[in-house]
C-alpha cells in the first residue's frame, strides 16, 4: 500500500471509530456517505496470513489455575415438618487444580503437545498437591501435505450428545489410552483411521482397537459413519446425522453394538436452538442394552443470559428416566462479580422412588440428597 | 408562447432523464451479476484480517480479531479467531452451505447453520461468504437515489431460496457496481439490520470492503430520550490473493493450527 493509501486507510478506520464512539441517535448510517474516504487500489501485499499459524516456534507454555469452594445443605429424604432434621445433611468442599500445557512446533509439519494436572483437596487429604498426572501427550505430524497424523494419548470425540455425553461417544476411552490417528481430510468430507491400545499386556495385533470414520455432507445434512472393533469388545457402529432446519439444529446418533452374545442399539435424538440471550437444548436417549426395550430417558436444558438486564445467568435443567419415573430438576444462577471470580447458586431436586436411578446412581449430588441448596465460588485464571 | 416552449422543454428533459435512468428488471438482474463479479475472487484465494468491534446499546465494547481464508470458486472459507484470548484458536470452516465450529478447549467440531451471528455480533457467519446476490435474490423494483456523495441504484430484492439469512433486502449500488448500503428485512417487512460500506479497497481486479458499520435494529435500548442500537464496526486489513493449499479448507487443518 502506498503512503497515500495508508493515510486513507487510517483515516477510514478513524472515521469508523469516531462514528462508533460519537453516535447518539443511530437509526441511520447515511452520515457515513457524506464524505467517505475514497476507494483505494492496493498493490498486492503478498501477506502470508497462514505463516502466523504454521511457522516453527519453540516451546510455548500455558496453563490454568482454579480454586473452588462451596457449601451444600439438604435432605437425603423428603423433609417433613414434624422433624426437619431427619435426613438433613450439610457438606463443604474445597479444591484447587493447576493445569500446565506445553506446545512445541520445531517444524511446520511437526508438533508436540501435552498437558499435566495436579490438584489438592485440603479437606479430605493431606495438605499436599497430588503428583502431576498426564492428561494428554501427543505429536502431530503432517505427512505429504494432506495426511494429518496424531499419535499418543489424546481425546477423540465421536457422537453429538451433550446431556448424555459419552453414551454415544464410542471413542471416549481414547483419553486413557494410546492411539494413532490418521486423517485424510480431502477424501470425501474427511476420513479418519485409528489404531488404539486401551489395556495393558497387549501381545497381539488382535488385541488392538481398530476404528474408522467417514464424514460427508449430503443435501445439507451432515452424515458420519464410524466403526470400532476389538476382538474382546466386539463391534460398535455409529451413524451420526445432523441437519439445521428453520434455525434449529436437529441431531441423531445411532450406535449398534454386536458381539458373539448380543446385539442391541442405542439411539440418541436431540435439538438445539439459540437466540441472542437464550439457549434451549433437548435430548432423548434409548438404551437397547436393557432387556424389554423399556429404558427411555429425556432431558431438557434452558439457559438465559443476563436475566432481566442483570448480570445474572440462569440455567434450568430437567432429566427424566421413564423406566422408573425418576428424574431431577435443577435451577442454577451464576454471577461474575469480579474478574476471575464466578459465584454459583444451585438447587437440584431428585424425584422418584428411593432406589430409582436419579435418586441413586444418576443423582448429581455426591451425597445422594433429594433436595440440596449449593453455593459455590470459583476463581479461575488462564495464562 | 414562452410558457408553451418552457413546458415542451420540461417534457423533453423529463423524458430524456427517464429514458436514461429507467431500467427494466432484466437490467437490474444484470446489475446484480455485475455486483457479484466485482467482489468475487473466482481465480484466487482471498485472505485478510478482520477486526470486529461490537458496541452494545449502552456502551460496552468487545473486540474480536480473526483471520479469514476464502476460496470463492468452491464456496469455502476458514476463519481463525486470534482475539479475545479466551476465544483464541476457535475456528469456523464453511464448506458449501455447511458450517463447522471448532472449540479448541473441548476439541470438538459442531456442525451448524451458516446464518448464525459471528462471535455474537451483528456480523453473521454468512457475511464472510462470497457475494451471491444474483443467485440468491431477484430484484422486484428499483430506483435512482443519491446516497451522500454516491449516485446509486436502489434495488428491492426478494430471496429465491430459504438458505439466505434475510428474505428481503434493499441495496444501494453505486455506479461502479459496488454495494454501499444494505437494509435487511424480515418476511413481514421489519427492518432487521442496516449495513454501510462507505469505501472499498481493490486487490488485483476485485474489490474488498475496507470496513463496514452494522446496526442491529433488534438489539436496541432507550437511553434517556435516545435509542441506541447494537453497532458493529468491521475493519478489513491486509487483503491478499496469495494461493493457499487445498488442505487449508479442512477440519483437520483447523484442528492442527488452533492453539
Amino acid at each position: 500500500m502506498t503512503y497515500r493509501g495508508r493515510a486513507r486507510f487510517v483515516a477510514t478506520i478513524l472515521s469508523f471509530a469516531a462514528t462508533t464512539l460519537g453516535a447518539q441517535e443511530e437509526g441511520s448510517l447515511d452520515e457515513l456517505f457524506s464524505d467517505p474516504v475514497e476507494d483505494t487500489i492496493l498493490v498486492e501485499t503478498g501477506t502470508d496470513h497462514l505463516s502466523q499459524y504454521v511457522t516453527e516456534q519453540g516451546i510455548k507454555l500455558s496453563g490454568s489455575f482454579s480454586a473452588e469452594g462451596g457449601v451444600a445443605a439438604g435432605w437425603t429424604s423428603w423433609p417433613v415438618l414434624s422433624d426437619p432434621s431427619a435426613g438433613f445433611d450439610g457438606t463443604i468442599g474445597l479444591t484447587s487444580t493447576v493445569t500446565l500445557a506445553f506446545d512445541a512446533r520445531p517444524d511446520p509439519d511437526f508438533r508436540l503437545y501435552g498437558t499435566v494436572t495436579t490438584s489438592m483437596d485440603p479437606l479430605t487429604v493431606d495438605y499436599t498437591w497430588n503428583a502431576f498426572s498426564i492428561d494428554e501427550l501427543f505429536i502431530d505430524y503432517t505427512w505429504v501435505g494432506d495426511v494429518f497424523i496424531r499419535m499418543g494419548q489424546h481425546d477423540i470425540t465421536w457422537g453429538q450428545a451433550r446431556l448424555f455425553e459419552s453414551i454415544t461417544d464410542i471413542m471416549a476411552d481414547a483419553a486413557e489410552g494410546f492411539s494413532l490417528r490418521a486423517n485424510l481430510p480431502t477424501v470425501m468430507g474427511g476420513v479418519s483411521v485409528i489404531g488404539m491400545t486401551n489395556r495393558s499386556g497387549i501381545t497381539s495385533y488382535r488385541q488392538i482397537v481398530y476404528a474408522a470414520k467417514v464424514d460427508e455432507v449430503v443435501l445439507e445434512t451432515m452424515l458420519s459413519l464410524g466403526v470400532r472393533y476389538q476382538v474382546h469388545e466386539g463391534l460398535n457402529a455409529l451413524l451420526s446425522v445432523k441437519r439445521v432446519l428453520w434455525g434449529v439444529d436437529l441431531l441423531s446418533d445411532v450406535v449398534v453394538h454386536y458381539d458373539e452374545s448380543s446385539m442391541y442399539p442405542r439411539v440418541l435424538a436431540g435439538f438445539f436452538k439459540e437466540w441472542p440471550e437464550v439457549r434451549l437444548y433437548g435430548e432423548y436417549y434409548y438404551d437397547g442394552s436393557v432387556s424389554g426395550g423399556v429404558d427411555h430417558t429425556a432431558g431438557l436444558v434452558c439457559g438465559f443470559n443476563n436475566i432481566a438486564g442483570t448480570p445474572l445467568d440462569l440455567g434450568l435443567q430437567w432429566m427424566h428416566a421413564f423406566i422408573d419415573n425418576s428424574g431431577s430438576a435443577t435451577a442454577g444462577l451464576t454471577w461474575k462479580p469480579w474478574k476471575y471470580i464466578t459465584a454459583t447458586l444451585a438447587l437440584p431436586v431428585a424425584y422418584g422412588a428411593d432406589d430409582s436411578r436419579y435418586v441413586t446412581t444418576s443423582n448429581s449430588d455426591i451425597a445422594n440428597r433429594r433436595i440440596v441448596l449449593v453455593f459455590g465460588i470459583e476463581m479461575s485464571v488462564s495464562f | 408562447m414562452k410558457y408553451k416552449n418552457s413546458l415542451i422543454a420540461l417534457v423533453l428533459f423529463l423524458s430524456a432523464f427517464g429514458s436514461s435512468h429507467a431500467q427494466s428488471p432484466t437490467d437490474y438482474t444484470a446489475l446484480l451479476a455485475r455486483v457479484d463479479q466485482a467482489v468475487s475472487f473466482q481465480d484466487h484465494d482471498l485472505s485478510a484480517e478482520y477486526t470486529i468491534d461490537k458496541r452494545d446499546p449502552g456502551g460496552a465494547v468487545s473486540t474480536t480479531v480473526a483471520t479469514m481464508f476464502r476460496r470463492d470458486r468452491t464456496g469455502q472459507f476458514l476463519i481463525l479467531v486470534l482475539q479475545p484470548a479466551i476465544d483464541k484458536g476457535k475456528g469456523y470452516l464453511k464448506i458449501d452451505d455447511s458450517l463447522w465450529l471448532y472449540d479448541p478447549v473441548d476439541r470438538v467440531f459442531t456442525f451448524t447453520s451458516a446464518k448464525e451471528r459471528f462471535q455474537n455480533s451483528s456480523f453473521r457467519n454468512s457475511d464472510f461468504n462470497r457475494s451471491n446476490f444474483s443467485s440468491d435474490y431477484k430484484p422486484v423494483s428499483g430506483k435512482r437515489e443519491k446516497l451522500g456523495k454516491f449516485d446509486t441504484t436502489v434495488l428491492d430484492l426478494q430471496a429465491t431460496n430459504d438458505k439466505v439469512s434475510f428474505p428481503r433486502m434493499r441495496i444501494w449500488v453505486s455506479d461502479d457496481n459496488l454495494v454501499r448500503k444494505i437494509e435487511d428485512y424480515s418476511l413481514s417487512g421489519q427492518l432487521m439490520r442496516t449495513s454501510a460500506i462507505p469505501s472499498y479497497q481493490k486487490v488485483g481486479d476485485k474489490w474488498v470492503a475496507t470496513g463496514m458499520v452494522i446496526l442491529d435494529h433488534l438489539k436496541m435500548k432507550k437511553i434517556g430520550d435516545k435509542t441506541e442500537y447494537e453497532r458493529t464496526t468491521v475493519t478489513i486489513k491486509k487483503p491478499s490473493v496469495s494461493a493457499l493449499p487445498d488442505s487449508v479448507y479442512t477440519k483437520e487443518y483447523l484442528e492442527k493450527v488452533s492453539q
Side-chain angles (χ1 to χ4, degrees), chain A residues 1 9 12-13 16 19-34 36-47 49-50 52-54 57 60 103 105 108-109 111 113 136 138 140 142 145-146 148 150 154-155 157 162 181 183-186 189-192 213 215 217 220-222 242-244 247 249 274 276-277, chain B residues 47-49 55 67 69 80 82 88 97-98 100 106-108 110-113 116-117 120 147-150 163 176 178 180-181 194-204 207 210-215 217 219 225-229 231 233-242 244-248 250-253 255-259:
Chain A
M1 198 187 309
F9 179 77
T12 303
I13 306 307
F16 281 143
T19 308
T20 302
L21 296 173
Q24 295 295 317
E25 190 72 33
E26 300 182 307
S28 169
L29 295 172
D30 287 357
E31 75 276 8
L32 295 174
F33 298 99
S34 56
V37 175
E38 293 291 326
D39 297 333
T40 54
I41 296 176
L42 298 180
V43 176
E44 164 60 28
T45 58
T47 305
H49 291 284
L50 275 183
Q52 62 189 311
Y53 300 104
V54 296
Q57 64 177 33
K60 184 178 149 192
D103 188 352
R105 301 186 185 215
D109 291 327
R111 175 194 187 198
Y113 180 86
E136 288 189 289
F138 60 83
D140 282 337
T142 307
D146 281 336
F148 294 83
R150 177 165 290 183
H154 57 94
D155 288 341
T157 304
R162 297 190 200 186
R181 186 188 74 184
N183 285 338
L184 295 86
T186 53
V191 174
S192 302
K213 186 157 80 75
D215 297 327
V217 177
E220 299 176 38
T221 304
M222 189 278 291
K242 185 166 186 181
R243 170 147 197 172
V244 181
D249 289 7
E274 187 176 30
E277 302 296 346
Chain B
S47 53
E49 184 180 297
R55 193 195 65 186
T67 312
F69 306 93
L80 293 165
L82 291 164
K88 188 176 180 186
D97 290 321
S98 308
W100 298 88
D106 296 332
R107 303 234 191 92
V108 172
T110 305
F111 179 84
T112 186
S113 160
E116 305 301 322
R117 292 162 175 272
N120 204 29
L147 178 66
K149 72 166 215 174
F150 296 106
K163 295 177 188 173
D176 48 10
L178 296 173
R180 300 292 174 172
K181 182 181 168 188
T194 303
S195 307
I197 314 170
S199 60
Y200 281 80
Q201 47 198 328
K202 195 170 191 179
V203 190
W207 293 93
T210 306
M212 298 174 70
V213 180
I214 303 169
L215 288 188
H217 294 271
K219 288 192 164 184
D225 59 344
K226 290 173 178 160
T227 303
E228 279 194 16
Y229 298 91
R231 189 182 183 102
T233 305
V234 184
T235 309
I236 302 164
K237 290 186 277 193
K238 302 177 192 168
S240 171
V241 290
S242 299
L244 300 168
D246 294 346
S247 58
V248 166
T250 63
K251 287 190 292 179
E252 286 70 18
Y253 192 86
E255 186 180 29
K256 175 188 171 186
V257 298
S258 291
Q259 296 180 50

Side-chain angles (χ1 to χ4, degrees), chain B residues 3-189:
Chain B
Y3 169 75
K4 194 176 175 183
N5 286 343
S6 300
L7 191 62
I8 290 169
L10 179 63
V11 169
L12 286 174
F13 171 77
L14 289 175
S15 61
F17 181 84
S19 64
S20 66
H21 288 86
Q23 292 182 299
S24 67
T26 311
D27 295 330
Y28 295 142
T29 304
L31 176 58
L32 285 184
R34 291 198 299 276
V35 165
D36 289 339
Q37 198 177 11
V39 294
S40 295
F41 290 74
Q42 294 295 333
D43 300 327
H44 303 280
D45 293 305
L46 173 67
S47 53
E49 184 180 297
Y50 280 62
T51 303
I52 298 162
D53 294 307
K54 184 187 79 164
R55 193 195 65 186
D56 293 329
V61 178
S62 58
T63 299
T64 298
V65 180
T67 312
M68 182 211 68
F69 306 93
R70 201 176 90 193
R71 180 171 286 177
D72 288 350
R73 62 180 177 276
T74 52
Q76 297 168 305
F77 68 60
L78 173 74
I79 299 157
L80 293 165
V81 176
L82 291 164
Q83 291 177 26
I86 194 169
D87 289 331
K88 188 176 180 186
K90 194 184 276 189
Y92 299 72
L93 172 67
K94 178 181 170 288
I95 303 170
D96 298 324
D97 290 321
S98 308
L99 186 75
W100 298 88
L101 308 183
Y102 180 67
D103 180 351
V105 177
D106 296 332
R107 303 234 191 92
V108 172
F109 283 93
T110 305
F111 179 84
T112 186
S113 160
K115 300 175 191 175
E116 305 301 322
R117 292 162 175 272
F118 179 71
Q119 295 287 93
N120 204 29
S121 72
S122 301
F123 198 69
R124 289 179 175 255
N125 296 320
S126 53
D127 291 327
F128 286 105
N129 279 344
R130 66 169 186 252
S131 174
N132 212 15
F133 286 112
S134 55
S135 296
D136 289 336
Y137 291 91
K138 64 176 182 186
V140 292
S141 65
K143 62 182 178 182
R144 295 287 296 175
E145 191 173 293
K146 193 87 173 166
L147 178 66
K149 72 166 215 174
F150 296 106
D151 293 314
T152 65
T153 302
V154 185
L155 297 179
D156 287 320
L157 307 178
Q158 202 168 57
T160 56
N161 61 66
D162 60 0
K163 295 177 188 173
V164 295
S165 297
F166 300 101
R168 294 172 55 188
M169 293 176 103
R170 176 172 289 167
I171 63 173
W172 282 252
V173 183
S174 52
D175 291 342
D176 48 10
N177 300 320
L178 296 173
V179 175
R180 300 292 174 172
K181 182 181 168 188
I182 304 170
E183 289 180 350
D184 300 310
Y185 292 89
S186 69
L187 204 55
S188 64

Side-chain angles (χ1 to χ4, degrees), chain A residues 237-259:
Chain A
L238 165 71
L239 173 64
S240 291
V241 181
K242 185 166 186 181
R243 170 147 197 172
V244 181
L245 279 178
W246 307 294
V248 180
D249 289 7
L250 303 172
L251 57 98
S252 181
D253 289 344
V254 178
V255 174
V256 176
H257 172 81
Y258 174 77
D259 60 32

Side-chain angles (χ1 to χ4, degrees), chain A residues 177-256:
Chain A
F178 180 94
S179 51
L180 171 65
R181 186 188 74 184
N183 285 338
L184 295 86
T186 53
V187 178
M188 300 179 69
V191 174
S192 302
V193 181
I194 298 165
M196 179 174 76
T197 58
N198 62 349
R199 62 198 69 208
S200 58
I202 287 183
T203 55
S204 163
Y205 69 92
R206 286 169 52 82
Q207 295 169 295
I208 294 174
V209 175
Y210 298 96
K213 186 157 80 75
V214 179
D215 297 327
E216 183 65 309
V217 177
V218 180
L219 299 175
E220 299 176 38
T221 304
M222 189 278 291
L223 299 173
S224 185
L225 179 63
V227 178
R228 167 184 172 142
Y229 175 76
Q230 202 271 347
V231 65
H232 300 300
E233 297 173 0
L235 180 78
N236 284 286
L238 165 71
L239 173 64
S240 291
V241 181
K242 185 166 186 181
R243 170 147 197 172
V244 181
L245 279 178
W246 307 294
V248 180
D249 289 7
L250 303 172
L251 57 98
S252 181
D253 289 344
V254 178
V255 174
V256 176

